[in-house]
Amino acid sequence: MTIDVVRLRVLVAVARAGTVTAAARELHYSQPSVSHHLARLEAETGAKLVQRVGRGLRLTEAGRLLAERGAEILGRLDAASAELSAHVGLRAGRVRLAAFPSALGTFVPAAAARLAKEHPGLDLRLMEAEPPEALRLLRSGEVDVAVVFRYGGAGPEDDGVRLVPLLDDPSLLVTAAGNDRAADLAAYAGAPWIAGCERCRAHLLALCAEAGFEPRVSFTTDDYVAVQAMVAAGLGVAVLPRLALSAHRHPGVLTSELPGPARHVHAATYGEPPDPPATAALVAALLRAQLGAGEGAGDGVGPSLSSSVALQTAVPVPGS
């Protein structure tokens, strides 16, 4: 069985856009052309990929399966194309990075500016994504580097993901200015807590469990700016990573570094070494840029992105 890449791209566009009309607009094709490509793809695969629903079309189970695998295949093809372009000598080509919000608010812009200065012909794309989503984008070939974090002694990633350590990011107890209680978690066992979503608060729960209590979470938000504003207003206390305080520091909060293991921030790449030149250049820029990122909360945000750097937003994800 031979599958035409152009027709596969049409199917993926239909799955992503939701309708033939929207896919045609995205691909700059006519609607009859999209329908023709879908019909030819069905003939090539011998599978029913779309079915009519009223005046529109929707993917069958086989169509959804092929679209999912097709997105991964196209991502790897696009990545290969970018890598080959990069081998020209970093005078051209594209490299794509996904990173969590507080990394984007601290050392990533400095790395992006450095990369743009050293390799002005290189097209850098940035996406905001939390580690699980960033790793999915990396594995599917939609990004070339993912900045991720991990807590504790978690084992290595599997299936080809390689991690380059960037920095250790300690946890800080965040309380309102003027508070005179001891700077340890146990002193706030009865206080209201401000925490992230159910998936994001695991580290806080583990820290509090070690201190002998379960926090009473009164407010839930993954926005570290909002967390600090609520703490400053006396609505509760929180634990934040130092990078979050480096990206934005509210004048009305106090911070105390907590004992115990920090979260480990890594640059993740995918596939067998060595990395393509553009990917290696980006990782090197991240390594150099992060040197001052963890020096202390409230040190400000790194340099602004160069105009040659495109900043994109992926799916809406919790900030951290």
Side-chain angles (χ1 to χ4, degrees):
M1 179 191 302
T2 301
I3 298 178
D4 184 277
V5 173
V6 173
R7 290 167 189 150
L8 185 61
R9 198 176 292 277
V10 169
L11 179 68
V12 171
V14 171
R16 181 173 55 245
T19 66
V20 170
T21 300
R25 189 181 306 114
E26 177 183 318
L27 296 169
H28 303 290
Y29 289 176
S30 66
Q31 290 185 43
S33 179
V34 169
S35 298
H36 172 74
H37 280 301
L38 291 175
R40 294 299 304 153
L41 186 58
E42 288 186 329
E44 290 173 353
T45 60
K48 186 69 173 175
L49 303 176
V50 295
Q51 61 186 46
R52 291 202 169 276
V53 179
R55 300 178 64 182
L57 295 175
R58 72 179 178 192
L59 298 186
T60 63
E61 183 176 350
R64 287 192 297 271
L65 175 62
L66 182 58
E68 289 173 3
R69 296 294 180 267
E72 297 175 6
I73 292 167
L74 293 172
R76 300 314 302 173
L77 285 173
D78 290 344
S81 176
E83 289 168 12
L84 287 173
S85 296
H87 275 286
V88 174
L90 296 180
R91 294 188 300 272
R94 179 186 67 186
V95 64
R96 301 156 299 173
L97 170 70
F100 54 92
S102 56
L104 284 173
T106 49
F107 64 90
V108 169
R114 180 186 293 271
L115 193 70
K117 181 178 180 180
E118 294 176 352
H119 307 289
L122 195 59
D123 180 20
L124 173 62
R125 305 294 178 93
L126 302 180
M127 299 181 186
E128 178 184 306
E130 290 290 340
E133 174 65 9
L135 289 173
R136 186 197 67 77
L137 293 168
L138 181 68
R139 291 186 177 101
S140 68
E142 295 173 71
V143 299
D144 307 291
V145 181
V147 175
V148 300
F149 62 80
R150 315 173 81 194
Y151 284 103
E157 292 291 336
D158 55 9
D159 67 12
V161 173
R162 292 178 288 116
L163 300 177
V164 177
L166 294 178
L167 60 91
D168 287 337
D169 190 16
S171 297
L172 304 179
L173 174 63
V174 185
T175 60
N179 121 82
D180 56 1
R181 280 193 251 183
D184 67 85
L185 290 181
Y188 297 90
W193 283 81
I194 303 161
C197 67
E198 295 291 338
R199 180 179 62 82
C200 302
R201 67 180 64 168
H203 182 57
L204 170 65
L205 296 179
L207 289 174
C208 292
E210 289 179 9
F213 71 97
E214 182 177 346
R216 175 168 57 88
V217 177
S218 299
F219 300 93
T220 298
T221 177
D222 293 301
D223 184 333
Y224 56 76
V225 176
V227 169
Q228 293 182 61
M230 286 190 279
V231 171
L235 299 178
V237 294
V239 168
L240 288 175
R242 176 171 283 171
L243 277 181
L245 276 296
S246 297
H248 169 81
R249 174 66 179 262
H250 193 291
V253 302
L254 293 177
T255 61
S256 304
E257 185 171 327
L258 295 171
R263 71 176 183 175
H264 309 297
V265 180
H266 303 270
T269 59
Y270 185 80
E272 293 296 322
D275 290 319
T279 300
L282 176 54
V283 172
L286 289 166
L287 282 166
R288 292 195 298 271
Q290 60 77 29
L291 292 178
E295 294 300 322
D299 293 334
V301 181
S304 300
L305 289 176
S306 162
S307 59
S308 66
V309 178
L311 179 62
Q312 298 179 336
T313 300
V315 297
V317 291
S320 67

